[in-house]
Amino acid sequence: EVQLVESGGGLVQPGGSLRLSCAASGFTLTNFWIHWVRQAPGKGLVWVSRINRDGSYTNYADSVKGRFTISRDNAKNTVSLQMNSLRAEDTAVYFCARDLTNSQDFWGQGILVTVSS
Amino acid sequence: QSALTQPASVSGSPGQSITISCSGTNSDVGHYKYVSWYQQHPGKAPKLMIYDVSNRPSGVSNRFSGSKSGNTASLTISGLQAEDEADYYCNSYTRSTTYVFGTGTKVTVL
């Protein structure tokens, strides 16, 4: 069974950092690009970032460029999202998702990140 | 990148058909075949319903269909059922090599 499980969320102060992890099982991670998508409370989905199969290519939404870094460790079947200089507007549930021809076919359950003093 | 435009809500009676529109530009929806649709029930992760404009993943009911004309994509749900009540989002790849989601549509089954 394909599974993606996010971890590392929580409460952080504005300007702080947090590292999210996405653990994959049930499929060969090296065969897939991976995305991060977020959803602020009561709001819609927003694409955040993606990484290619070997980690050599990454993309970011303008709202997080220069603050967030996506990476992967295929040996450990994990993809990470390092989030620095966090702002209140980064408060959201963060989902990792597997790519299928530029869509997202399997999603994790999501992890809540709250940026507040 | 502005969100793709969807109607805030669409409703229909059981058994009816409804269509949700997703309006973009010639830099996203109009430029690529990479339009997808997601269903999201409250408190749950999104579920892929349609990819590449009109393809259904394995396990998704054939009551769901997708299409595109110009800068506007559409999702049609035929034979509406109570379990279809959820939020629906479109998504498109863009010429900036990023992705943009729609504003979301709440589907209500009357």
Side-chain angles (χ1 to χ4, degrees), chain B residues 1 7-8 14 17 21 32 34 38 42 44 51 67 72 91 94 96-97:
Chain B
Q1 181 77 50
S17 293
S21 62
Y32 293 103
Y34 301 125
Y38 303 85
K44 300 295 187 181
Y51 68 97
S67 62
T72 299
N91 176 274
T94 81
S96 302
T97 68

Side-chain angles (χ1 to χ4, degrees), chain B residues 16-38:
Chain B
Q16 286 187 329
S17 293
I18 62 169
T19 296
I20 303 168
S21 62
C22 171
S23 179
T25 70
N26 55 17
S27 293
D28 39 63
V29 174
H31 193 78
Y32 293 103
K33 70 170 186 175
Y34 301 125
V35 176
S36 50
W37 289 89
Y38 303 85

Side-chain angles (χ1 to χ4, degrees), chain A residues 35 37 39 43-47 50 57 59-62 95 99-105 107-109, chain B residues 1 34 36 38 40 44-48 50-52 57 89 91 93 96-103:
Chain A
H35 301 262
V37 176
Q39 186 170 35
K43 303 296 185 181
L45 300 172
V46 176
W47 179 82
R50 69 168 174 169
Y57 180 82
N59 278 125
Y60 300 93
D62 286 345
F95 298 96
D99 182 87
L100 172 66
T101 68
N102 290 302
S103 66
Q104 293 82 40
D105 66 344
W107 296 62
Q109 83 286 353
Chain B
Q1 181 77 50
Y34 301 125
S36 50
Y38 303 85
Q40 187 179 33
K44 300 295 187 181
K47 175 186 177 182
L48 178 66
I50 295 287
Y51 68 97
D52 290 356
Y89 295 90
N91 176 274
Y93 186 60
S96 302
T97 68
T98 60
Y99 298 79
V100 60
F101 280 94
T103 50

